[in-house]
Amino acid sequence: MLKRRSNSYGRARDSSNTAPSSTSRDEEVAWEMRPGGMLVQKRGENSDAPAPNLRLRIAFGAMRYEISAASQSTFGELKKVLTAETGLQPGEQRLIFRGKERENVEYLDMCGVKDRSKVLLIEDPASIERRADEMRRNAKIQSAHRAISDVSVEVDKLAEQVSAIEKSISNGVKVAEVQITTLIEMLMRQAIKLDNISAEGDAVAQKTLQGKRVQKCVESLDVLKISNANVKPVVVTTKWETFEPPPTTPKWEIFD
């Protein structure tokens, strides 16, 4: 009698062969391309193992800083940390490691940065030039503010003299014409000073304001000059009143 062989062993063997394949699929590893063309295992976002911190020595001119950063940080992230220490914005920083400037997307550990590694920080030359231009511009604006302020003080004094002349003429007191002419010349000198001031920003408005004040004073003096010519001088005469001397009475001598 022939018996049919059972296929249970075969099925068991097949299941044993397929089990590892399912396990291998569960343990598939994701890969990613790093800067420089290196293929490495992709870092999991939910990885429980924290990246070790590195103490980095940063040299910036004569200044020295010690910064703590995760080994898996990028140089771009390191620049953000350095902003609080140096005051330089990330776009103004250049980081040099092992004689090579590093890009923002490069990772510290992939570039060989280790604990106590030294990183050189330099300021972007374009940023230095922009800062120098800004300093020169601010100095120019401050100089214009001071010059305009000096003119304003002088105009205040001359405006007081204009008011005094106006008051005298309105009271019918004639003013010497040379006094009005001299005052106009002094105001014109202040106008020339204003024209020679190179103003920017807020200084432009201040310069315009003082220019209008000078113009108003000159126009007032021109009107006062005409009014002063029509003022008739007041002639003051003194009339003396004469008095007759009192009559003299004889003094009588009394005899006993």
Side-chain angles (χ1 to χ4, degrees), residues 72-165:
Q72 296 180 359
S73 300
T74 64
F75 280 91
E77 294 169 341
L78 179 59
K79 289 180 179 180
K80 295 178 181 179
V81 177
L82 289 172
T83 297
E85 298 290 339
T86 64
L88 296 177
Q89 295 301 316
E92 300 173 341
Q93 300 177 31
R94 295 292 181 269
L95 294 179
I96 310 297
F97 180 67
R98 291 182 178 176
K100 180 181 178 182
E101 180 179 351
R102 300 298 174 172
E103 299 295 333
N104 292 338
V105 295
E106 294 185 83
Y107 290 90
L108 300 180
D109 56 350
M110 297 305 299
C111 293
V113 179
K114 302 182 182 302
D115 191 44
R116 305 294 296 172
S117 290
K118 183 178 180 180
V119 179
L120 178 62
L121 169 63
I122 61 174
E123 186 176 359
D124 183 20
S127 174
I128 297 176
E129 185 62 26
R130 286 194 300 269
R131 183 179 289 105
D133 291 341
E134 187 67 20
M135 291 177 62
R136 286 191 292 267
R137 182 174 178 272
N138 290 337
K140 186 177 180 181
I141 292 175
Q142 292 177 2
S143 177
H145 277 292
R146 287 193 297 267
I148 295 172
S149 179
D150 293 341
V151 172
S152 177
V153 172
E154 293 299 323
V155 172
D156 288 340
K157 297 177 181 179
L158 296 175
E160 291 178 359
Q161 298 183 37
V162 173
S163 298
I165 291 176

Side-chain angles (χ1 to χ4, degrees), residues 12 32 44 50 88 112 114 134 147 152 162 166 197-199 201 220 232-233 240:
E32 65 177 351
L88 296 177
K114 302 182 182 302
E134 187 67 20
S152 177
V162 173
E166 184 178 8
I197 296 175
S198 178
S220 298
K232 295 181 180 180
W240 297 97

